[in-house]
Amino acid sequence: IVLIVWAGTGLVALTEQLLQSRVALRYAAFSILCALLTFTTAQTVAASVAEPKSAGELFYANLRMGMALGQLPDAAKITVAYGDAGILPFVSGVRHMDIVGLNENRIAREGKERGWLWIVGYVLGSRPDVIGFYTYPDGIVFNLGHGLMGGYYSVLASAPDFLNNYTYAGGFDAGSVHTQWFVYNQSPYRDAIWQAVQAAADFKDYTIRMP
């Protein structure tokens, strides 16, 4: 894509030089560039869906979790708190609470002012139906994520409010990390979520360790 942008920029400049900056032709060249970018992006997305493992192990793990949740009749009513806003909510249709804050206005704005500890309390206090985070393959919680919460997932995972109210549902092997999923005990969709994740997961049981 970067090469196409550079080529397109050169094409526009050359068109201006040769045709004395005729506006109509300049915009025609720009339209060609946009079409090339759209075509390339569409091919990339299509290839990732057709061969999901080619897009990376984490993408594939999140895709599998999303497909597991997406088969539930009440998927649109389920809230999933997780730090990656990507393929999982796209294929599942669940309501995604982005712990990092990229698509969660309150976390993005108030979290910046109040800090990561407030985010932990806000997430747990919101009682999402599902909470997910990463561990290393040895079970230690991964604390090297991005955003304000990136270094404090172990605080969330060890909070009494989390331990008392969430049950392990299953995990997925994403190579250098594992994705771990927990379901809220009082969720009206608790049993359906647990069964769907267990059926799809690589790990049916897991020991989470703190760093």
Side-chain angles (χ1 to χ4, degrees):
I1 291 177
V2 173
L3 292 176
I4 293 175
V5 172
W6 277 106
T9 303
L11 177 62
V12 172
L14 181 61
T15 301
E16 288 182 340
Q17 184 69 26
L18 295 178
L19 301 173
Q20 299 179 350
S21 301
R22 294 180 182 177
V23 175
L25 291 175
R26 181 173 60 186
Y27 281 108
F30 184 73
S31 297
I32 293 173
L33 170 62
C34 291
L36 287 172
L37 286 172
T38 301
F39 177 73
T40 303
T41 302
Q43 280 193 319
T44 301
V45 173
S48 297
V49 173
E51 295 290 342
K53 285 188 177 180
S54 67
E57 292 180 283
L58 182 57
F59 176 94
Y60 184 55
N62 287 336
L63 173 65
R64 291 170 60 202
M65 178 62 177
M67 293 176 67
L69 294 177
Q71 69 181 337
L72 300 177
D74 294 310
K77 300 177 183 178
I78 293 171
T79 298
V80 176
Y82 184 49
D84 278 328
I87 191 65
L88 190 157
F90 178 76
V91 300
S92 66
V94 299
R95 193 265 174 180
H96 181 234
M97 174 184 283
D98 182 9
I99 297 176
V100 175
L102 295 180
N103 71 350
E104 190 77 23
N105 286 337
R106 191 170 182 192
I107 290 178
R109 295 175 181 175
E110 293 191 42
K112 184 177 180 180
E113 297 176 359
R114 301 188 182 189
W116 62 267
L117 191 58
W118 176 85
I119 298 176
V120 171
Y122 173 72
V123 171
L124 292 175
S126 298
R127 293 292 190 256
D129 301 289
V130 180
I131 292 178
F133 51 80
Y134 303 132
T135 66
Y136 291 103
D138 62 3
I140 294 178
V141 176
F142 184 86
N143 273 339
L144 294 176
H146 58 295
L148 290 173
M149 272 294 296
Y152 302 100
Y153 286 107
S154 59
V155 177
L156 185 152
S158 60
D161 197 10
F162 175 79
L163 297 173
N164 293 333
N165 289 289
Y166 284 83
T167 298
Y168 186 72
F172 294 83
D173 187 347
S176 59
V177 294
H178 295 163
T179 61
Q180 309 293 355
W181 301 96
F182 297 78
V183 60
Y184 179 46
N185 295 335
Q186 302 303 317
S187 169
Y189 319 108
R190 189 263 183 208
D191 291 343
I193 293 171
W194 188 87
Q195 292 171 8
V197 177
Q198 279 278 300
D202 297 315
F203 312 115
K204 315 300 182 183
D205 192 15
Y206 206 92
T207 300
I208 305 296
R209 301 165 56 199
M210 296 303 123

